[in-house]
Amino acid sequence: MLKTAPAPVHSYTPANTEPASRPPWVTDDSFSQKFAPGKSTTTVTKHILPRGAPVPSPATISAYPSPVSTSSQPPALARGTVQRAERFPASSRTPLCGHCNSIIRGPFLVAMGRSWHPEEFNCAYCKTSLADMCFVEEQNSVYCERCYEQFFAPTCARCHTKIMGEVMHALRQTWHTSCFVCAACKKPFGNSLFHMEDGEPYCEKDYIALFSTKCHGCDYPVEAGDKFIEALGHTWHDTCFICAVCHVNLEGQPFYSKKDKPLCKKHAHAINV
C-alpha cells in the first residue's frame, strides 16, 4: 500500500509514544503547531523572596521582551547582560544626574546612556555602590550581580546554576547556551534546529543517523513528505520498490519475493537474483 509521509516540520518537543524507528511527526497531527521553531516558551516558577526584595513584574517572568530597534536607537542589550559604568573626571561639562536630576559639577559616571553622581549610582536592593562594580539593568533599575542573580536570573535546566547573560529557551525551560547540547555529539545547538527522541534532544545529523527510517532499496532516509511503501518487512520509497531483475516499478502491482528482493510476475522464477 502506498503511503505519504506528512509534510516536513521542525521538531521541538518529544512526540507521543511511538517506535523509535519512526519520525515523531508521523502520528502527531498537532506537532508543527505545538513545536514550531519560532515558538519560544518559558516556565513560571513560584519563589519566596526575602523580606524587602524587589518584586518582579510580569515582564520579568516572561521570555525576553521584543527588542526595539530603530535608526536612532542602538540595539537593546540582552536581558541579564553584565555592564560596568565609565568614570569621567570633572570638566566644563555639567550633565544631569540620572538619579536626582541635578547638575553634576564634579567627577561623574556614565552608564546606560545617562550620567550619574558616583555616590548615587547604587544597587536598587542592597544599596552597594556600583561606581567600580559590575551591574545588571532590570526593569529600569540597576542591581549588583549578586542581587540580580538572587532575584531575577533564571536557572539552567541542566547544570542548575543561575544564568547570567544569554539564555536559551527550549522545551519550556531555560538553559545556558553551552548546556543545551545534542545528546549524541554533545555540541551546542545555538540557533540550529533539533529533534527529540526519548526525552533527549538531537541535532539534525545525529537524529537522521540514529532514528530515521531508511529505504530498504536505496538506504537513504524516508523523509517527511516522501511517498513510501511497506512490503517484505521493510520500508521503501515508492520509486525504489522495483523488480530486482527488470527494474519495473511494482507499486500497486502483484509481486513475488526471492532472497528478500521483490520480483515482477515475469521474473518470479528468475535464477540470478
Side-chain angles (χ1 to χ4, degrees):
M1 179 182 293
L2 178 65
K3 300 182 181 180
T4 304
V9 296
H10 301 121
S11 42
Y12 263 69
T13 341
N16 295 331
T17 54
E18 273 292 305
S21 61
R22 297 300 302 276
W25 54 78
V26 171
T27 57
D28 190 350
D29 294 333
S30 61
F31 193 74
S32 61
Q33 295 301 318
K34 291 187 290 185
F35 311 117
K39 191 171 185 178
S40 62
T41 57
T42 187
T43 1
V44 177
T45 308
K46 190 181 225 178
H47 295 285
I48 299 176
L49 299 178
R51 184 181 298 276
V55 179
S57 70
T60 305
I61 299 175
S62 67
Y64 286 171
S66 300
V68 177
S69 179
T70 65
S71 56
S72 61
Q73 288 181 317
L77 289 173
R79 182 182 169 210
T81 301
V82 177
Q83 304 176 62
R84 196 178 185 94
E86 187 178 358
R87 280 186 175 272
F88 284 85
S91 66
S92 57
R93 179 183 172 189
T94 54
L96 294 178
C97 176
H99 177 76
C100 65
N101 206 35
S102 299
I103 293 176
I104 306 173
R105 301 186 183 279
F108 60 94
L109 303 175
V110 172
M112 304 182 297
R114 288 175 286 175
S115 303
W116 313 79
H117 285 107
E119 66 275 11
E120 292 184 325
F121 191 60
N122 305 317
C123 172
Y125 178 66
C126 69
K127 308 306 179 185
T128 299
S129 172
L130 300 175
D132 298 301
M133 292 179 59
C134 291
F135 68 90
V136 181
E137 183 181 5
E138 180 71 24
Q139 300 176 50
N140 297 319
S141 295
V142 289
Y143 297 89
C144 64
E145 289 184 275
R146 185 180 63 180
C147 289
Y148 177 83
E149 182 176 329
Q150 181 178 1
F151 301 124
F152 299 109
T155 301
C156 176
R158 183 181 182 188
C159 67
H160 306 295
T161 61
K162 294 289 187 175
I163 305 172
M164 301 292 288
E166 190 176 1
V167 179
M168 169 73 74
H169 291 268
L171 308 179
R172 304 180 187 277
Q173 298 181 87
T174 51
W175 315 70
H176 288 105
T177 53
S178 58
C179 285
F180 191 59
V181 299
C182 172
C185 66
K186 307 303 180 185
K187 292 181 181 178
F189 291 107
N191 293 323
S192 302
L193 303 179
F194 63 93
H195 297 267
M196 294 299 299
E197 186 68 30
D198 295 330
E200 295 288 346
Y202 291 87
C203 65
E204 187 86 9
K205 180 181 177 181
D206 287 323
Y207 181 83
I208 291 175
L210 294 172
F211 304 109
S212 66
T213 301
K214 292 187 178 180
C215 172
H216 190 64
C218 65
D219 204 37
Y220 280 92
V222 177
E223 298 179 344
D226 290 347
K227 292 181 179 180
F228 64 93
I229 295 168
E230 291 180 341
L232 303 178
H234 300 287
T235 301
W236 315 68
H237 290 111
D238 62 329
T239 53
C240 292
F241 191 61
I242 58 178
C243 174
V245 177
C246 65
H247 306 301
V248 65
N249 193 285
L250 297 175
E251 177 192 334
Q253 304 297 321
F255 64 93
Y256 300 81
S257 66
K258 187 175 182 179
K259 296 181 182 178
D260 206 25
K261 295 179 180 180
L263 297 167
C264 66
K265 186 177 180 179
K266 180 179 177 181
H267 297 101
H269 303 290
I271 299 175
N272 298 321
V273 177

